[in-house]
Amino acid sequence: MQKKMMKYISDYLWILLALLVVSSCQDDKNFTVKGVVSGADGQTMYLENVGVSSVVVLDSVKLNPAGKFEFKQARPEYPDFYRLRLKNQLINFAIDSTEVITVAADAGTFATSYQVDGSDNCKAIKEITLAQLDANQAISRIRKEYEHKHLEDTAYVNRIMEASKAYKEVALKYIYGAPMSTVAYYALFQQVNGLLLFDLYDKTDSRAYGAVATSYNHLYPESPRTKQLYNLALQSIKVIRSQQKLNLDEIETKEVSFLEISLPDVYGNVVKLSEIAHNHPVLVNFTAYAAEWSPALNIELNKLYSKYADKGLKIYQISLDADEHFWKNAASNLPWTCVHDPETVYSQAAALYNVKQLPALFLLDKNGNVVKREDYPHKLENDIKAAL
């Protein structure tokens, strides 16, 4: 009887051990994000995967008064980026070899004052995020001062560059200190007003792209992010080399009336700027529909268009949004020509017009000549009258 009991216990222990091994193997294939969000009773929080070109909702939870949550998802094949979204606030994080990440946050300061444990990279991503927010706020203040004519052009440009430099000083610690890390990749792609803080076509910034691209190509050659980075780095090198001084006396030149742009509209039809500009003054606008200032900008443009369209004014609006679907929805009801540049912030068309920030507006006369460049549409009315 005792032998049978001992055998039963032994068999039970082996089964239990097998179950633990299976459970452990299953956990190795997953990652977990858990924690507490206070002050968010009844609100829904989402877990999203931030891909190279799209954001996908993976899971969601309706928070109770205790605020506890836990998400479990399949571990990505290569290091990848995710975020927690509560209303319009975001907590970004990365998953590489980490199994469990713990987040503690308050609903009111969800995106800025959270605590994260379980990953040094995720802590560094928070530092990069806060530096980007500081740059965003600083540049917004500078733009308002400039708009109210409290700054001259030179001072405006210098202060914008200072705000950008402050961000880069934080980011470069990780880009050159650990170029193979998810933090380095994340730091490269932070934006203000729809444009990258690291300029792909700047010689110094190009080295940062090259450093991260080289490291990723060595460690994760088949990753979609590696291929994206490598292509961008090659494109950067190509453009910078093309900017080298040329002997213009040896080049055959011809006069052109305007800088051509040819991009697809919301229906997929390619529309040339020259077709719109033929015998008409045109307001060319580089914009990002997802930016917070976009609705106000389109209201101002609509006032001008309603007033002067019958007199011949045309608008050719170029979206640099990464989310093409969002652009199509937003642009579908606008009365002027709306096109989308799939190169987004790496737009050759924007580079052709030397666009450094968004929004950017150019007024072309009936012959296609740029007669005015302006950041604010309400300042263009007198020039539009003259062009008409």
Side-chain angles (χ1 to χ4, degrees):
M1 181 70 177
Q2 187 176 2
K3 288 183 179 180
K4 287 184 179 180
M5 181 63 70
M6 291 298 295
K7 184 177 184 305
Y8 174 79
I9 292 173
S10 176
D11 290 344
Y12 175 78
L13 290 174
W14 275 110
I15 293 170
L16 181 61
L17 180 62
L19 289 173
L20 288 173
V21 169
V22 170
S23 175
S24 175
C25 292
Q26 288 175 342
D27 286 344
D28 286 344
K29 296 179 181 179
N30 297 308
F31 70 89
T32 301
V33 184
K34 63 180 182 178
V36 177
V37 180
S38 59
D41 182 24
Q43 297 183 37
T44 300
M45 185 171 69
Y46 299 88
L47 173 66
E48 299 175 333
N49 174 226
V50 184
V52 173
S53 59
S54 63
V55 177
V56 178
V57 176
L58 300 177
D59 203 351
S60 64
V61 62
K62 188 172 183 179
L63 298 167
N64 59 25
K68 289 186 177 181
F69 69 91
E70 181 172 324
F71 294 117
K72 184 170 286 190
Q73 290 290 322
R75 187 195 300 273
E77 184 177 1
Y78 305 104
D80 210 353
F81 294 88
Y82 300 83
R83 69 190 190 188
L84 298 175
R85 175 166 59 88
L86 186 69
K87 293 186 176 179
N88 61 343
Q89 297 192 82
L90 306 172
I91 293 177
N92 290 281
F93 63 95
I95 294 295
D96 39 33
S97 59
T98 304
E99 292 182 5
V100 179
I101 290 175
T102 304
V103 176
D106 179 82
T109 57
F110 185 78
T112 56
S113 299
Y114 65 92
Q115 292 183 334
V116 59
D117 292 300
S119 168
D120 289 337
N121 278 342
C122 292
K123 291 179 180 179
I125 284 174
K126 178 185 176 182
E127 184 182 355
I128 296 295
T129 299
L130 294 178
Q132 184 271 339
L133 289 172
D134 287 343
N136 192 20
Q137 291 172 1
I139 289 172
S140 295
R141 288 195 300 269
I142 294 165
R143 291 189 66 187
K144 286 180 180 177
E145 289 184 50
Y146 183 68
E147 181 181 357
H148 291 94
K149 299 193 179 297
H150 296 154
L151 286 176
E152 297 296 331
D153 291 353
T154 302
Y156 171 67
V157 171
N158 288 338
R159 287 184 59 183
I160 291 289
M161 291 178 66
E162 287 172 5
S164 177
K165 182 181 177 182
Y167 166 77
K168 289 179 182 179
E169 286 177 353
V170 176
L172 287 172
K173 292 189 304 181
Y174 298 102
I175 290 173
Y176 289 123
M180 75 297 294
S181 68
T182 51
V183 189
Y185 181 100
Y186 181 80
L188 274 181
F189 289 96
Q190 294 307 294
Q191 303 178 13
V192 170
N193 290 333
L195 291 179
L196 291 168
L197 283 158
F198 279 91
D199 186 351
L200 193 64
Y201 306 122
D202 176 85
K203 188 174 182 179
T204 301
D205 290 355
S206 176
R207 295 192 189 103
Y209 282 97
V212 181
T214 301
S215 296
Y216 263 64
N217 193 53
H218 177 70
L219 292 173
Y220 317 109
E222 298 304 317
S223 167
R225 294 188 185 277
T226 298
K227 294 175 182 179
Q228 172 216 29
L229 261 177
Y230 210 72
N231 287 335
L232 290 177
L234 291 175
Q235 181 184 355
S236 175
I237 293 169
K238 180 180 178 181
V239 170
I240 289 170
R241 285 177 178 173
S242 72
Q243 293 172 348
Q244 295 176 353
K245 291 184 177 180
L246 302 174
N247 183 354
L248 299 180
D249 293 334
E250 297 178 0
I251 299 176
E252 182 181 353
T253 61
K254 62 178 181 179
E255 184 177 350
V256 295
S257 59
F258 61 92
L259 303 175
E260 179 70 287
I261 301 174
S262 182
L263 292 168
D265 64 12
V266 292
Y267 305 106
N269 302 316
V270 174
V271 182
K272 293 183 177 181
L273 175 58
S274 57
E275 297 170 352
I276 303 299
H278 183 64
N279 292 328
H280 291 279
V282 181
L283 194 55
V284 178
N285 173 218
F286 290 89
T287 189
Y289 286 71
E292 60 181 11
W293 41 258
S294 178
L297 171 70
N298 284 337
I299 288 172
E300 291 297 323
L301 289 177
N302 194 51
K303 289 177 183 176
L304 292 173
Y305 191 75
S306 299
K307 197 170 182 179
Y308 298 107
D310 290 343
K311 297 180 175 64
L313 177 68
K314 303 288 185 181
I315 295 179
Y316 188 87
Q317 190 173 51
I318 304 136
S319 159
L320 302 185
D321 293 271
D323 190 337
E324 184 177 356
H325 181 70
F326 180 89
W327 160 72
K328 281 185 178 179
N329 286 337
S332 60
N333 294 320
L334 294 177
W336 50 79
T337 301
C338 302
V339 297
H340 178 258
D341 194 333
E343 293 182 335
T344 64
V345 293
Y346 316 109
S347 166
Q348 294 291 328
L352 192 66
Y353 278 77
N354 196 29
V355 173
K356 297 295 184 184
Q357 65 179 30
L358 299 179
L361 295 130
F362 300 85
L363 180 62
L364 278 56
D365 65 16
K366 293 181 180 180
N367 297 316
N369 302 304
V370 177
V371 296
K372 188 70 178 289
R373 176 174 181 161
E374 183 56 71
D375 291 338
Y376 305 101
H378 65 271
K379 295 184 179 181
L380 285 169
E381 186 161 5
N382 290 334
D383 299 286
I384 289 172
K385 289 178 182 178
L388 288 168

